[in-house]
C-alpha cells in the first residue's frame, strides 16, 4: 500500500523578507508618533463640539450685514463653478497635446503627459498660497488655484478619452477632403464631448469639496468663517457651518450624479 | 478617369502590399475588386484617395496626380472621391443630417463649417440625398439609433451630398445581412447607372461582384491576376485567382439571384 | 464634366421633411450655464484685469523661487518623514476599521438590516467632509501636531476604503458562500473562507490607492497645524523666503511621484 503523497505548498523565502520589511516600516512609523502630546482638555473640547454640533447657531445662517453661512456657501459654490469652467477650457488643448494618437511624434504627447502629472501633483493649497501672493487674498486666488490644479486630472482624463475614439469617422472625413480643423470639429469633438462634460461634472464635485477649505489660507469661501469659528472656539457656529457644508455637498453630488448618468 | 501607373506599396516592415499595378478605370465603370483577405484590396482602394501613401509609382485622377498633391490641392481632389466603409464610419452621437452634411465640409471655408452655417442649398442637397436612399424621415435621429443597413445608407447619402464623381466602397456590405446587402448594392448600382459615377467596390462575395459589376479585377498577394468583363469571370478563373476551388462562404447565391 | 448629380431636380419638398427637434432645451441649458458662470464671476470678483496686474507679481515670485536654496533640504527631511509616517499610520488604521464597516454596509452581507441603512448614510455623510477640514477640527480638539492629522487621514481612509470595498463586496460570487452555509459555517467562517479570498487582492489595491491619496493630503495638512511637511510652507512664505518654499515644493513633488509610481507598480502586480 502506497502512502498518500502530500504535496508541499510552494514556499518562497522572499515572502518572509517582505513581511520583515513591512514590520520594520510599521515599527518605524508608529514609534515616531508623539501620542503623548494630546491636550488634557480634549475630552472637554469634544463635549463642547458635540453640544455645538447638536445645537447649531441657526442665527448664523443669514445675517443681514453679510459674512453669514449662505453667503459663504454661495462664495464656495461660485469658486468651484468658475474654477471648474476654467480648468475644463484649459484642459481641452492639453488633452489633444497629451493624447498619443493626435501627434506623430511620441515626445510631443509624452511631454504633455509629464506636464499634466506635474500639475496634478502640485498641491492645490500651495497653488492657492502662490496665487494669493500674486493677486491678493480672496476668492479669485481660490478660483485660479482650482482652475489650474484641476487641469492635471481633467487633462489626463480628457486625453485618455481622445485616445479611445473611433478612428472611422475621422477617416471618412479625411476621405471627403476635410482639413485638420474640420476633422477635429466634425469627427472627434462629437465623440468626446459627452464624456468631457461628464468628467467636468465629476471634477466639479471634487472642486466643491476643495473650495470649502480654501478659506483656511485666505482664498475665499466658507473656509474663512469656519477657521475663524474654530480658532475662537465658537462650537455652535462650527456646527452650523459643518451642517451647511454637508448639506450643500450632498445636494450637489445628487444633482451632478443624475446629470452624469444622463450624459453617458 | 483613374490611372494607376506601376503602383507599388511596401510597408515599413518590408511586406509587400501592392506590386507594380497598372490599371485604367474609365468614367462610369462599376468595378469590383475581389481577392482573399490580405490580397491588398483595401490597400489598393485606399491608395486611390491616398488614405494610404504608396511607395512607388503614381496615381492620376482625371489626369491630376494625387500622389504628388499636397495640402489644399490634395483635399480638392479628395472632395471629388467619395468613400464608403465596411464599418460605416458615421459619428454615432451626431444626427443623421449632420453626418450627411459632414460630406460638404470640403466645399466651405473652415470658419463657415465650424460655426455650423451650411448654406440652404447644402441642407436641400442633404435632404435630397437622404430621400434617394429612403431614410429622409430619420434626418434628426442619432446615427446610432439606426440599423446597420440604414447607417450604410446614411454613409451613401454622405457621399451623394459630397457630389463625388468617384465612389470607393471598401467592403460596404461585409457587416450587413443578405437582405440589406442587396438594398445597399442596388443603391450603389442605381447611383452608378443614373449619374454615371465611377464606382469601385471591394467585395468578398464573388457572385455579388458578378451581379453588379461591369468589370472585375482580381488581386492576389498585391498583384493583379485578373482584369476583365464579368462574362470572363467564371468559377474556373476564380479558382485560379484564389489558388483553390471556390468555397461556400464566398457565394451568396440564394438571396441575390 | 461639371456636376453630374442633379439632385436639384429631386421632387422631395421641404414640406415633406421631418421637423427638426426643438432647440429650446438646448438654449435654456446654455443660458443657465452662462448665467451660472457670470454669477460666479461676480461673486468671486474675478477679473482679468486683476489677473494681468497680478502677472508681474507672479513672475517676480517665480523669479525669487529660483535658484532653490538646496541647503534648506536638511531642515525638511524630518518633516517629510513625518508626512510619510502620518500617511502610513492613518491608512493602516483606516484600512483595519474599514473592514467591519464595509461588511456592515454591503447589501448582500450585512448581518443586520437595521444597521445597514444608518451606517451607509453615516458613511456617505462623512465622505462629504474634506480631509483638511477634518484635520482643522481635530487640531482644535487635540492641539497642534501629527496626531490630529493622523486622525483626519484615518477617518478619510475609513470612508474611502469602505465605500470601494462594499461596492466590491456586493459583486462577489455567492456560490462559495452558499457552499459554506451548506457545510454549516457560521457568519465569520463564511466571510473568512467565502469572501476574503475573493476580494483580498482588490482590497490591498484600494489600500495602496488610498495611501497615495493620503500622502498627497498629508503634505498639506501642516497648513492647518496638523503635522508634516506642510508646516514649513507658512514658515518660509511668511518670511518671504521663496527659494526655501521652492525646495519644499520640489521635494514634495519628487516624493509624491515616487510613491505614486511604486504604488501603481505594486497595484498592477496585485491584480
Amino acid at each position: 500500500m502506497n502512502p498518500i503523497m502530500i504535496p508541499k505548498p510552494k514556499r518562497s523565502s522572499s515572502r518572509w523578507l517582505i513581511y520583515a520589511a513591512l514590520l520594520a516600516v510599521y515599527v518605524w512609523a508608529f514609534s515616531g508618533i508623539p501620542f503623548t502630546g494630546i491636550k488634557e482638555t480634549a475630552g472637554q473640547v469634544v463635549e463642547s463640539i458635540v453640544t455645538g454640533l447638536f445645537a447649531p447657531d441657526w442665527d448664523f445662517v443669514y445675517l443681514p450685514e453679510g459674512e453669514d453661512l449662505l453667503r459663504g456657501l454661495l462664495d464656495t459654490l461660485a469658486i468651484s463653478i468658475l474654477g471648474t469652467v476654467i480648468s475644463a477650457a484649459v484642459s481641452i488643448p492639453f488633452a489633444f497635446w497629451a493624447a498619443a494618437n493626435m501627434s506623430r511624434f511620441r515626445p510631443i504627447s509624452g511631454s504633455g503627459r509629464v506636464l499634466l502629472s506635474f500639475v496634478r501633483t502640485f498641491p492645490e493649497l500651495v497653488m492657492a498660497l502662490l496665487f494669493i501672493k500674486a493677486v491678493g487674498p480672496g476668492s479669485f486666488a481660490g478660483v485660479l488655484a482650482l482652475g489650474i490644479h484641476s487641469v492635471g486630472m481633467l487633462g489626463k482624463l480628457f486625453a485618455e478619452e481622445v485616445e479611445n475614439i473611433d478612428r472611422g469617422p475621422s477617416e471618412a472625413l479625411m476621405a471627403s477632403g476635410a482639413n485638420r480643423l474640420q476633422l477635429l470639429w466634425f469627427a472627434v469633438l462629437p465623440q468626446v464631448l459627452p464624456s468631457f462634460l461628464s468628467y467636468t461634472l465629476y471634477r466639479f464635485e471634487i472642486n466643491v469639496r476643495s473650495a470649502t477649505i480654501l478659506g483656511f489660507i485666505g482664498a475665499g469661501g466658507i473656509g474663512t468663517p469656519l477657521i475663524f469659528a474654530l480658532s475662537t472656539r465658537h462650537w455652535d457656529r462650527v456646527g452650523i457651518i459643518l451642517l451647511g457644508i454637508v448639506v450643500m455637498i450632498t445636494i450637489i453630488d445628487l444633482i451632478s450624479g443624475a446629470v452624469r448618468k444622463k450624459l453617458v | 478617369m483613374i490611372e494607376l501607373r506601376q503602383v507599388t506599396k511596401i510597408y515599413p516592415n518590408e511586406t509587400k502590399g501592392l506590386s507594380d499595378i497598372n490599371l485604367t478605370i474609365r468614367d462610369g465603370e462599376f468595378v469590383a475588386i475581389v481577392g482573399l483577405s490580405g490580397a491588398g484590396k483595401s490597400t489598393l482602394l485606399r491608395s486611390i484617395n491616398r488614405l494610404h501613401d504608396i511607395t512607388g509609382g503614381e496615381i492620376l485622377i482625371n489626369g491630376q496626380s494625387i500622389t504628388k498633391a499636397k495640402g489644399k490641392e490634395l483635399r480638392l481632389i479628395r472632395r471629388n472621391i467619395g468613400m464608403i466603409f465596411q464599418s460605416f464610419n458615421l459619428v454615432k452621437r451626431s444626427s443623421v443630417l449632420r453626418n450627411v452634411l459632414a460630406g460638404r465640409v470640403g466645399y466651405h471655408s473652415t470658419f463657415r463649417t465650424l460655426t455650423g452655417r451650411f448654406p440652404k442649398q447644402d441642407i436641400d442637397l442633404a435632404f435630397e440625398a437622404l430621400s434617394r436612399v429612403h431614410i429622409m424621415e430619420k434626418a434628426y435621429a442619432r446615427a446610432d439609433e439606426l440599423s446597420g443597413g440604414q447607417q450604410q445608407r446614411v454613409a451613401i447619402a454622405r457621399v451623394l451630398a459630397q457630389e463625388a464623381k468617384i465612389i470607393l466602397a471598401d467592403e460596404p456590405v461585409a457587416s450587413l445581412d443578405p437582405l440589406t446587402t442587396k438594398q445597399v448594392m442596388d443603391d450603389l448600382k442605381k447611383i452608378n447607372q443614373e449619374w454615371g459615377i465611377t464606382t469601385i467596390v471591394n467585395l468578398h462575395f464573388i457572385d455579388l461582384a458578378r451581379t453588379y459589376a461591369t468589370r472585375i479585377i482580381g488581386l492576389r498577394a498585391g498583384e493583379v491576376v485578373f482584369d476583365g468583363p464579368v462574362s470572363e469571370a467564371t468559377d474556373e478563373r476564380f479558382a485560379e485567382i484564389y489558388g483553390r476551388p471556390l468555397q461556400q462562404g464566398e457565394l451568396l447565391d440564394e438571396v441575390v439571384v | 464634366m461639371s456636376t453630374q448629380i442633379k439632385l436639384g431636380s429631386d421632387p422631395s419638398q421641404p414640406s415633406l421633411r421631418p421637423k427638426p427637434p426643438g432647440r429650446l432645451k438646448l438654449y435654456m441649458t446654455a443660458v443657465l450655464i452662462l448665467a451660472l458662470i457670470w454669477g460666479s464671476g461676480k461673486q468671486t470678483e474675478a477679473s482679468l484685469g486683476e489677473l494681468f496686474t497680478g502677472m508681474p507679481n507672479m513672475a517676480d515670485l517665480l523669479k525669487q523661487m529660483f535658484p532653490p536654496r538646496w541647503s534648506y533640504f536638511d531642515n525638511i527631511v524630518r518633516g517629510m518623514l513625518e508626512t510619510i509616517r502620518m500617511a502610513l499610520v492613518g491608512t493602516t488604521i483606516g484600512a483595519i476599521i474599514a473592514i467591519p464597516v464595509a461588511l456592515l454596509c454591503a447589501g448582500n452581507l450585512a448581518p443586520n438590516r437595521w444597521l445597514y441603512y444608518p451606517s451607509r448614510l453615516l458613511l456617505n455623510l462623512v465622505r462629504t467632509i474634506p480631509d483638511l477640514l477634518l484635520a482643522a477640527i481635530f487640531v482644535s480638539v487635540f492641539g497642534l501636531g501629527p496626531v490630529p492629522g493622523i486622525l483626519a487621514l484615518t477617518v478619510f481612509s475609513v470612508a474611502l476604503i469602505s465605500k470601494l470595498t462594499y461596492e466590491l463586496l456586493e459583486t462577489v460570487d455567492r456560490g462559495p458562500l452558499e457552499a459554506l452555509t451548506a457545510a454549516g459555517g457560521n457568519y465569520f467562517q463564511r466571510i473568512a473562507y467565502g469572501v476574503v479570498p475573493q476580494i483580498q487582492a482588490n482590497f490591498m489595491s484600494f489600500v495602496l490607492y488610498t495611501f497615495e491619496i493620503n500622502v498627497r493630503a498629508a503634505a498639506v495638512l501642516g497648513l492647518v497645524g496638523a503635522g508634516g511637511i506642510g508646516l514649513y510652507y507658512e514658515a518660509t512664505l511668511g518670511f518671504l523666503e521663496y527659494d526655501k518654499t521652492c525646495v519644499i515644493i520640489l521635494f514634495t513633488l519628487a516624493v509624491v511621484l515616487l510613491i505614486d509610481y511604486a504604488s501603481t507598480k505594486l497595484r498592477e502586480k496585485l491584480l
Side-chain angles (χ1 to χ4, degrees):
Chain A
M1 196 173 85
N2 282 335
I4 300 166
M5 291 286 287
I6 300 173
K8 283 204 173 107
K10 260 195 271 173
R11 189 178 292 158
S12 57
S13 54
S14 66
R15 172 172 278 194
W16 293 108
L17 228 72
I18 294 173
Y19 287 151
L22 263 179
L23 188 72
V25 167
Y26 275 116
V27 168
W28 167 76
F30 278 92
S31 65
I33 306 293
F35 281 106
T36 45
I38 296 172
K39 282 195 275 187
E40 296 94 48
T41 52
Q44 214 179 315
V45 179
V46 171
E47 206 186 304
S48 38
I49 290 182
V50 174
T51 340
L53 287 177
F54 284 96
D57 176 10
W58 292 106
D59 294 338
F60 183 67
V61 173
Y62 178 79
L63 300 171
E65 64 270 28
E67 294 294 306
D68 56 13
L69 177 69
L70 285 178
R71 263 165 270 198
L73 290 179
L74 193 68
D75 203 29
T76 305
L77 201 59
I79 293 171
S80 27
I81 290 175
L82 212 57
T84 310
V85 169
I86 291 173
S87 69
V90 178
S91 292
I92 294 173
F94 270 93
F96 285 100
W97 176 11
N101 57 342
M102 284 290 132
S103 51
R104 232 166 281 172
F105 308 103
R106 284 232 146 244
I108 295 182
S109 64
S111 62
R113 247 153 230 282
V114 170
L115 186 70
L116 285 177
S117 89
F118 177 81
V119 174
R120 203 161 55 241
T121 315
F122 204 111
E124 57 202 328
L125 270 187
V126 176
M127 215 169 257
L129 282 173
L130 298 181
F131 275 117
I132 285 173
K133 295 282 173 191
V135 299
S139 309
F140 190 42
V143 168
L144 292 174
L146 285 187
I148 303 298
H149 176 78
S150 309
V151 172
M153 182 183 118
L154 273 187
K156 177 173 179 261
L157 291 173
F158 284 11
E160 280 166 5
E161 199 56 39
V162 171
E163 283 173 359
N164 286 332
I165 58 164
D166 173 11
R167 298 254 318 126
S170 309
E171 202 181 22
L173 270 157
M174 205 203 288
S176 73
N179 62 32
R180 270 185 83 88
L181 221 57
Q182 289 168 330
L183 219 73
L184 216 63
W185 194 255
F186 282 88
V188 179
L189 271 188
Q191 288 189 58
V192 297
L193 215 55
S195 345
F196 276 19
L197 282 174
S198 169
Y199 284 137
T200 304
L201 276 173
Y202 173 60
R203 183 67 216 188
F204 174 61
E205 293 170 29
I206 298 175
N207 279 349
V208 175
R209 286 172 168 78
S210 303
T212 57
I213 51 168
L214 284 172
F216 290 0
I217 54 160
I222 190 71
T224 315
L226 177 58
I227 200 80
F228 187 69
L230 275 171
S231 54
T232 55
R233 318 218 166 279
H234 278 82
W235 297 113
D236 50 347
R237 185 159 289 186
V238 173
I240 189 73
I241 292 174
L242 272 182
L243 196 68
I245 289 174
V246 169
V247 168
M248 177 179 73
I249 291 180
T250 307
I251 292 173
I252 283 174
D253 281 6
L254 284 176
I255 296 174
S256 167
V259 176
R260 283 199 283 141
K261 235 180 223 151
K262 256 184 104 178
L263 275 173
V264 185
Chain B
M1 197 154 75
I2 305 167
E3 294 160 87
L4 286 84
R5 295 181 181 161
Q6 288 144 21
V7 169
T8 302
K9 164 96 184 174
I10 298 167
Y11 284 103
N13 61 5
E14 305 201 349
T15 49
K16 261 200 171 164
L18 300 170
S19 62
D20 195 29
I21 294 196
N22 288 285
L23 286 171
T24 302
I25 293 160
R26 288 178 308 277
D27 290 334
E29 277 193 282
F30 194 117
V31 180
I33 303 176
V34 296
L36 293 170
S37 51
K41 288 177 297 189
S42 190
T43 312
L44 179 63
L45 210 64
R46 278 153 202 260
S47 298
I48 294 174
N49 63 358
R50 238 184 90 185
L51 284 185
H52 284 180
D53 278 314
I54 52 176
T55 44
E58 192 171 21
I59 297 174
L60 303 178
I61 312 287
N62 289 327
Q64 207 180 354
S65 168
I66 193 167
T67 314
K68 289 182 185 146
K70 275 198 200 87
K72 189 163 172 81
E73 196 189 349
L74 173 64
R75 291 202 297 273
L76 285 179
I77 301 176
R78 278 181 176 161
R79 196 172 78 179
N80 290 326
I81 310 175
M83 189 154 192
I84 292 164
F85 303 81
Q86 174 181 346
S87 49
F88 325 133
N89 288 1
L90 303 178
V91 181
K92 295 196 177 60
R93 286 175 174 281
S94 294
S95 70
V96 165
L97 183 63
R98 198 172 161 80
N99 268 297
V100 176
L101 282 170
R104 298 293 303 168
V105 296
Y107 287 90
H108 303 297
S109 72
T110 309
F111 179 75
R112 180 151 200 175
T113 44
L114 295 199
T115 48
R117 301 166 62 83
F118 286 96
K120 192 180 168 300
Q121 296 100 289
D122 280 21
I123 312 255
D124 289 344
L125 199 60
F127 270 106
E128 283 155 16
L130 280 172
S131 85
R132 280 283 153 175
V133 290
H134 314 291
I135 40 170
M136 193 170 71
E137 73 282 358
K138 298 280 186 193
Y140 294 103
R142 254 170 62 156
D144 54 4
E145 291 167 9
L146 271 57
S147 69
Q150 288 174 322
Q151 289 193 35
Q152 194 58 297
R153 270 140 68 194
V154 174
I156 294 176
R158 178 168 64 189
V159 169
L160 290 181
Q162 193 185 325
E163 296 183 296
K165 318 279 189 293
I166 299 167
I167 291 179
L168 308 174
D170 189 15
E171 301 270 8
V173 293
S175 18
L176 303 177
D177 61 73
L179 194 69
T180 22
T181 291
K182 184 168 157 38
Q183 291 169 346
V184 165
M185 289 307 292
D186 283 345
D187 277 339
L188 284 175
K189 184 75 185 168
K190 206 171 79 184
I191 291 157
N192 165 256
Q193 284 179 333
E194 286 180 14
W195 297 318
I197 297 179
T198 315
T199 306
I200 308 175
V201 187
N202 282 349
L203 284 175
H204 181 70
F205 298 112
I206 286 146
D207 44 358
L208 266 188
R210 277 196 293 235
T211 311
Y212 289 97
T214 54
R215 172 182 173 188
I216 292 179
I217 294 173
L219 283 186
R220 192 173 66 199
E223 286 177 55
V224 176
V225 290
F226 178 88
D227 183 1
V230 174
S231 55
E232 289 173 21
T234 57
D235 281 2
E236 290 73 44
R237 288 302 302 270
F238 274 120
E240 246 173 77
I241 299 173
Y242 282 31
R244 55 167 172 72
L246 292 182
Q247 290 169 356
Q248 211 48 47
E250 282 138 19
L251 296 170
L252 215 131
D253 279 324
E254 66 278 17
V255 187
V256 178
V257 181
Chain C
M1 212 187 331
S2 63
T3 40
Q4 294 161 309
I5 310 171
K6 289 190 183 59
L7 284 173
S9 61
D10 194 285
S12 70
Q13 301 288 321
S15 57
L16 293 174
R17 294 176 190 173
K19 277 218 162 61
R23 310 205 114 209
L24 189 66
K25 212 172 125 192
L26 186 75
Y27 292 140
M28 295 284 276
T29 316
V31 167
L32 182 73
I33 290 173
L34 286 177
L36 273 177
I37 295 173
W38 181 80
S40 304
K42 269 220 106 91
Q43 178 71 28
T44 55
E45 289 162 6
S47 75
L48 278 178
E50 207 175 319
L51 184 60
F52 281 116
T53 49
M55 280 294 188
N57 290 345
M58 196 76 193
D60 198 40
L61 192 103
L62 286 175
K63 230 183 285 166
Q64 288 181 47
M65 287 175 94
F66 289 94
R69 189 167 323 159
W70 296 113
S71 59
Y72 191 60
F73 186 78
D74 296 334
N75 302 36
I76 55 173
V77 171
R78 270 179 62 98
M80 184 54 86
L81 288 179
E82 188 173 69
T83 302
I84 298 172
R85 209 175 252 151
M86 284 161 60
L88 205 59
V89 174
T91 313
T92 310
I93 301 176
I96 293 167
I97 302 175
I99 296 170
V101 177
L103 283 171
L104 271 181
C105 292
N108 52 344
L109 297 172
N112 188 331
R113 285 270 124 193
W114 295 107
L115 278 173
Y116 160 72
Y117 289 106
S119 38
R120 239 184 201 207
L121 182 72
L122 190 69
L123 196 64
N124 281 331
L125 289 182
V126 171
R127 274 171 40 76
T128 60
I129 305 175
D131 38 16
L132 226 83
L133 210 164
L134 286 172
I137 294 170
F138 286 133
V139 164
S140 44
V141 176
F142 300 110
L144 299 172
V147 173
I150 290 172
L151 281 173
L153 293 179
T154 303
V155 174
F156 174 79
S157 307
V158 172
L160 182 59
I161 298 175
S162 344
K163 167 146 199 290
L164 292 171
T165 309
Y166 84 65
E167 281 173 355
L168 182 70
L169 281 174
E170 288 179 348
T171 65
V172 293
D173 179 11
R174 291 198 64 81
L177 276 174
E178 273 173 17
L180 281 160
T181 315
N186 67 24
Y187 179 76
F188 291 103
Q189 289 164 331
R190 289 210 304 269
I191 299 296
Y193 292 95
V195 178
V196 171
Q198 290 191 54
I199 65 152
Q200 57 185 4
N202 280 304
F203 180 79
M204 282 312 296
S205 164
F206 296 154
V207 174
L208 280 171
Y209 169 69
T210 309
F211 177 62
E212 288 171 41
I213 298 178
N214 280 347
V215 171
R216 286 161 196 252
V220 290
L221 283 179
L223 287 168
V224 294
I229 189 118
L231 288 171
Y232 295 84
Y233 283 111
E234 263 177 87
T236 55
L237 285 172
F239 291 109
L240 308 178
E241 294 170 318
Y242 298 117
D243 47 354
K244 287 185 179 174
T245 314
C246 185
V247 177
I248 306 175
I249 294 174
L250 291 177
F251 191 26
T252 309
L253 287 178
V255 168
V256 170
L257 285 176
L258 200 72
I259 288 179
D260 268 17
Y261 177 79
S263 167
T264 311
K265 282 275 161 240
L266 219 59
R267 283 200 281 148
E268 275 169 10
K269 257 190 131 170
L270 272 172
L271 297 179

